[in-house]
Amino acid sequence: MNRREFVKTSVTGLSAVGSLKAAESRALPVVISSANGLKATQKAMEIIRRGEDTLDAVVAGVNLVEEDPNDRSVGYGGLPNELGVVQLDASVMHGPTRGAGSVAALEGIKTPSRVAKLVMERTDHVLLVGEGAQKFALAMGFRNEDLLTDEAREIWLKWKSQLNPDDDWINPEDRVSGSLADEGRVNLKKVLKYHGTINCNAVNEKGDISGVTTTSGLSFKIPGRVGDSPIIGAGLYVDDDVGACGSTGRGEAHLKACASFMVVEFMRQGLSPEEAGLRVLKRISENTVEPYLKDEAGRPNFHLLFYVINKKGEFAGVSMYSGRQYAVHDGKVNRLCDAAYLYEAKDALE
Ligand code: ASP
């Protein structure tokens, strides 16, 4: 059975899924991340090895990427919204205390993951947004800084100079008629719009699990647009009895599916990380009915990825399309691995 048939079989029915083996099994601890997080998994593993908390570990890991001006998908240096303002989203979940915190559309603070963690630790709330989130961060001692680097500003100016029709406004009729796809709008979006995020999840020797997701979201988004990353259950879900999942890719798809929550719930029912991730991708694919979001073969024309671990330390990166990677530190080696996938990638998506 080749890889394609294997994947196809694995997502067509419960009995087939049930007969598959777990993705990879390793001794604890394990740290998994999106492919831009190789230094995050390394850092988080060092902290876990010192016996420190799993959430402290993954947040310290992603801080390296948030503060890196060269990562255009996260924190400082992230691409701005359509007005040229960087707006950041982040969430954290701490398994042992069943805690959650998040921030959305936060401006001026380089490390939204740390603010999300403080929302969890210092308030009775889960989600703070916009100006309120920024005021909270300033009260906690964060500095308000200009997050737009010269490079990100240049990319934004280039996008502005080629603006129409690559914006996010649509006519209700075009959404269902297929005319948006006919216009080639999807291809324009592919060239000019960027997604990107870092998710990082860890399980330590005791089986304690935590996760964090942080992003500048969809580039050139409508101001105030919030993706899946700060939404508990969409961009991140941790259940200390079961495992953790975080997501990257088209946030709107993860949001409509409560995607990370569903992956963890499938693991609770006995599926491995890989099986659970593929099952949810298949569900999302089936529920993608808008013509402008489908390719000629009727498949989603966007990327989605999950980064999944369970309490035993089994892990998987799972992608809608082939050719994607994820980072993992299994306690011995820190490396990039190929993600499992639902469909072979076609040129149109690459
Ligand atoms: N999921 C993020 C968002 O939609 C972006 C991404 O991961 O590519 O905001």
Side-chain angles (χ1 to χ4, degrees):
M1 192 188 284
N2 66 29
R3 174 78 202 165
R4 197 171 185 171
E5 287 162 342
F6 170 86
V7 169
K8 218 169 144 200
T9 311
S10 74
V11 294
T12 46
L14 247 184
S15 53
V17 170
S19 69
L20 291 175
K21 285 208 211 97
E24 270 191 82
S25 192
R26 291 275 188 282
L28 301 170
V30 173
V31 184
I32 191 169
S33 167
S34 41
N36 55 347
L38 207 50
K39 57 187 173 186
T41 48
Q42 178 67 37
K43 175 87 179 175
M45 184 56 78
E46 285 164 18
I47 293 172
I48 286 171
R49 282 210 184 103
R50 295 203 298 259
E52 292 176 36
D53 181 72
T54 47
L55 185 56
D56 290 342
V58 291
V59 169
V62 300
N63 285 166
L64 297 176
V65 182
E66 288 176 323
E67 286 167 351
D68 178 356
N70 296 317
D71 190 313
R72 297 210 195 86
S73 66
V74 179
Y76 179 56
L79 291 174
N81 65 18
E82 67 180 23
L83 300 179
V85 177
V86 180
Q87 286 189 329
L88 304 175
D89 300 336
S91 60
V92 300
M93 288 190 82
H94 185 240
T97 58
R98 315 274 163 174
S102 60
V103 290
L106 173 62
E107 297 175 15
I109 311 290
K110 273 184 178 167
T111 52
S113 65
R114 290 178 55 212
V115 184
K117 186 165 179 280
L118 284 165
V119 171
M120 180 188 90
E121 292 168 346
R122 304 290 295 261
T123 80
D124 185 36
H125 308 308
V126 170
L127 172 59
L128 296 181
V129 305
E131 205 187 322
Q134 192 194 54
K135 289 210 161 101
F136 171 77
L138 296 178
M140 289 292 141
F142 288 81
R143 271 194 302 145
N144 188 352
E145 297 174 82
D146 182 3
L147 304 185
L148 188 66
T149 59
D150 288 343
E151 215 184 346
R153 180 182 288 108
E154 278 308 320
I155 297 170
W156 170 67
L157 286 172
K158 185 168 176 208
W159 170 77
K160 270 187 95 66
S161 70
Q162 303 172 10
L163 192 53
N164 219 359
D166 184 40
D167 60 40
D168 287 317
W169 299 86
I170 52 179
N171 289 320
E173 305 90 56
D174 293 344
R175 181 173 171 274
V176 290
S177 70
S179 57
L180 285 172
D182 297 344
E183 274 171 23
R185 173 188 160 114
V186 169
N187 287 336
L188 279 166
K189 277 176 119 45
K190 181 190 71 171
V191 174
L192 296 170
K193 291 279 212 169
Y194 306 88
H195 282 90
T197 295
I198 181 167
N199 162 250
C200 187
N201 307 313
V203 52
N204 68 11
E205 270 138 13
K206 289 187 287 176
D208 294 343
I209 308 168
S210 291
V212 57
T213 303
T214 175
T215 189
S216 52
L218 179 69
S219 63
F220 323 131
K221 58 196 173 187
I222 295 172
R225 177 267 186 189
V226 172
D228 58 318
S229 307
I231 304 303
I232 300 300
L236 177 69
Y237 197 70
V238 175
D239 186 315
D240 213 46
D241 297 331
V242 179
C245 177
S247 32
T248 61
R250 182 179 158 81
E252 284 71 12
H254 291 307
L255 277 167
K256 289 199 287 183
C258 299
S260 288
F261 175 75
M262 199 177 353
V263 171
V264 173
E265 288 307 297
F266 279 139
M267 288 199 289
R268 191 194 304 280
Q269 292 170 19
L271 270 60
S272 72
E274 179 175 322
E275 292 161 356
L278 287 169
R279 180 70 68 88
V280 174
L281 289 173
K282 182 166 184 281
R283 172 88 60 89
I284 292 173
S285 177
E286 287 165 354
N287 284 336
T288 302
V289 295
E290 302 91 330
Y292 77 102
L293 292 177
K294 300 208 283 192
D295 68 11
E296 320 78 61
R299 307 181 314 187
N301 61 15
F302 49 84
H303 272 297
L304 297 178
L305 282 117
F306 295 124
Y307 313 92
V308 197
I309 53 171
N310 68 17
K311 204 167 173 70
K312 290 185 278 185
E314 295 166 338
F315 59 85
V318 189
S319 170
M320 184 69 86
Y321 286 97
S322 60
R324 293 293 162 137
Q325 293 195 302
Y326 64 102
V328 67
H329 198 316
D330 61 9
K332 296 189 189 85
V333 188
N334 190 36
R335 63 189 192 279
L336 289 175
C337 297
D338 292 337
Y341 56 89
L342 188 61
Y343 300 124
E344 291 282 351
K346 300 213 312 177
D347 293 346
L349 257 179
E350 295 309 303

